Amino acid sequence: MKRKMIGAVAAYMSGSFFAYFFYDAILLPILIGTVSIGLYFGKKHKWTKNDGILLSVAFTVGIAVYSAYTAYAYRPAVSFDGKFGTFSGEVTEITNYENDRAGYVLKGRINGDTKAKITYYGADLSAEYGDIVDIGECRFAVPESDYLFDSENYYKSEGIFLTAASAEEVSIVHTDSRPIRNKAAEFRETMTERLKEKSDETTGAFLSAMLFGEKRQLDGRVKTALYRSGIGHILAVSGLHVSIIAMLFMSLLKWLNVNRFVSYILMNAVLILFVVMADSPISAIRSTIMMDFFYAAGLFRRQNDSLNSLSAASLVLSLSNPYVIVNAGFLLSVSGTFGIAVFAPFMTKNMKYRTVPQIIVKDLFMALFTALSVLPFCVLFFSEASVISPLSNVLLVPLCTAAMINGVIFVLTGGILPILFPARVLVNVVVSVTSKLAEVSFLHISCGSQMTKELLLFLGAFCLGIYFIGQSRKAMAAALALCIGIFSVYTTVDSMKRRNEFIVAILGKGRNAAVVVTHMGAADIIDISGNANSADYVAKYLTERGISEADHLVLTRNTASQYENYMAETKFTRINEFIIPSEDGKADHVFDEGGFSIDRDAYCIRYTDGALTVRFGSESVTVQPASADTENADSYDIRYGSLKKGSEISDDAVYLEKGNNNFEIVLSEKGGTERRL
C-alpha cells in the first residue's frame, strides 16, 4: 500500500462510521463481514502484513475512540434527560432573535459535577463570549428532532447533548475573558451593516453570507434559488473563501518581500482570525487545516497532496468529536473538496486544456464530477439536488468569486470606501439568473423518500469503493453510468407510483395541523389550525415531493398572517386559487360559515366548522377538533387542538400531540396505509 496515511485515515473513519451506525446492534457478524471484505481486497491488491496490521489497528482505534467518547462524554450528559438540576457554564455561541430573545450554547457542568455542553433559549442576557451563565433550576432534555429539522443529530455532531427548559433564576457574570472573539463578532456585525448601507439589502446580505457565513439576513427565496441552481455552497464559508483570503494575503506579503517563514505564520494568524470571525464553522476549519498543509509543503520544498491534506483535516476534526461524521457541514465540505481536488482531476487527467472549447469542456466535466461527489449528501440534507449544477458552477461561481473579492477588499479597508458597485452588479445578475432557474421544475430533482436517500448513499459508497480499490478511470466511468441508470430508473418508477396514489399528508407540530391532498398531479393545501409554523411544514413537504403547483390553498384561521407566511415559504410553488373564510385577506374565493367543498371525479374534500373530511371511494380521512363529539367510523379519525379537561378521545382516533404529526395516509379501494415522514 503506497499511501499509508490515506489508508489509515480511511480505516479510522470507517471504524467511526461503523460504530455510529451499529453501536447498539449486534456488532460481531457485521464486524466479521467488514474484515473479510477488507482481507479479500487486500490480498487482491497485494497488501503486506504490515499494511493489514495498520488498517486493522486504525479501524479498531476508530471504533474505540467513538465508544470511549460515547461512554465518557455523551452518556453521562444524556442521563439527565428529563431530570431537573442546575447548570453553570461559559458562553461559546450566541444567536440573537426578535423580541429581545436569544439562544446560547453553554459549556460547563451540571449540578457542579458532570461536564456538558447545552443550549439555553430565553430572554436576551446581553451576554458576550466567555461570560458565565448560571441557571438555578431547569429541566434538561435531549434536543428533539422533527420533520423540519434533525435537531438531535445536528446538535450531537456539534458536541451539544442537552437543552435547558423551564429555566429559573438565570444570572450572568461578565468576565471579559474572550476579547479577541468578542471584537471579531463586533467587527462582523459592523461590517454586515456597512455592506448593506454601501450597496443594498440583497447585496449586503449576500456578501455577508459569503464572507461571514451569516445567512439569516438573506431572503429565503434567494437561498432556495441558489441551492436549486447548484451553487448554494458559496454561502458556506469553506475552501473557496479560505483560499481567496490566503491568496490575497500571501500575494500582498510577497509583494512586500516578507520572509516566507514569517509570511506563513502571518497567514495562519489571518486565517484563524477569519475562521473566528465567521463563527468557526466546521467547513472553514477543515479548509484552513488543508490550506496550512498546502503552504507548509511549499515552505519545506515538498509536493502537496490534496488527498493527504483532506485525510489529515478529517482526522483532526473527528478526533476532537467523533460525532462530526454525521454533521452536514463536515460531510458536504469533505465530499465537495474530494470532488474538486481529487476525484474530478483524476477523471479528467487525460483531457486536453489548451483551446477555448477544450477549456470549457474540461471545466464542465470538472464541475460535473464535483457535483456527483456531493449529490448524495445534498439529497440527504436538502431533499433535492440541482441538475444544472455543473453549468451554473462554471458560469455563476466566477461571478460570485469576483463579488466576494470585492467584498473582502471592502472589509479589509474597514468598509469606508464606496467600492461595492461591481459586487452589487454581479450579485444582482446571480440572483436574477438563479431565481429564473429555480422556477424551472425539471432543472432540479426532488428525492424526499427515505428509501431514495438510502439508495443514493449506497450507490455513492459503491462508487467510492470502486475509486479506491480499482483506481481505473474506465471502471469508475462504468460504475458512475450504472449508478446513474439505477437511480434514474428507481426515481422515475417511484415518482409514477406516487403520482397514481391518493395521498393525504398530515403536517405540523404538536396539536396543529395542515393537510396536503395529492392525486394524479393535482394538489390541494388546507391549513386547518392556522399555526404560524404550518407553512414551514407544508413547504418542506412540497419540496420533498417535487410539487411545484397547487390547485387550491385554503386558509381557515388567522388568514391575514397565514397568507403572508405561505407567500414567503411557498415561493416556488404556483398557487392557482386561494380560499379563505372572510374578506380579511387576498382571495379568489371566500367561503361562508357553512364551509367549502372541492369536488373532483375521484375524490372530494369538505370543510365545515373546523372539521375537514377527505373522501376517496369508500375510504375517508377526517381531521377535526379534539373537542368534537362526532367520530369517523369509515376510516381515519385525526384530532387536533386542545382537549377539554376531563374529556377523552377514542382509541381509534389519532391525537396530534407529541410527535404524532407528519405522516401520509395512502387511500385505495383496498383500504389505507400510513407512512411516517
Side-chain angles (χ1 to χ4, degrees), residues 3 6 239-240 243 286-287 290-291 294 303-311 313-314 332-349 362-363 365-374 467-468 471 473:
R3 308 170 82 178
I6 295 171
L240 175 65
S243 60
R286 190 273 313 156
S287 55
M290 288 190 66
M291 191 60 60
F294 174 78
Q303 181 66 38
N304 178 64
D305 187 302
S306 297
L307 189 52
N308 267 335
S309 301
L310 179 60
S311 300
S314 301
L332 288 167
S333 178
V334 170
S335 61
T337 303
F338 174 79
I340 197 168
V342 180
F343 182 54
F346 168 76
M347 294 298 292
T348 60
K349 182 178 180 180
K362 186 170 182 177
D363 284 348
F365 272 100
M366 286 282 290
L368 172 63
F369 292 125
T370 303
L372 290 175
S373 298
V374 300
Y467 169 79
F468 279 111
Q471 285 291 299
R473 276 179 283 276

Side-chain angles (χ1 to χ4, degrees), residues 555 559-560 563 567 578-580 582-589:
L555 305 178
T559 53
Y563 177 82
M567 289 302 94
F578 294 93
I579 304 177
I580 63 174
S582 63
E583 298 288 356
D584 59 352
K586 178 181 178 180
D588 300 292
H589 178 67

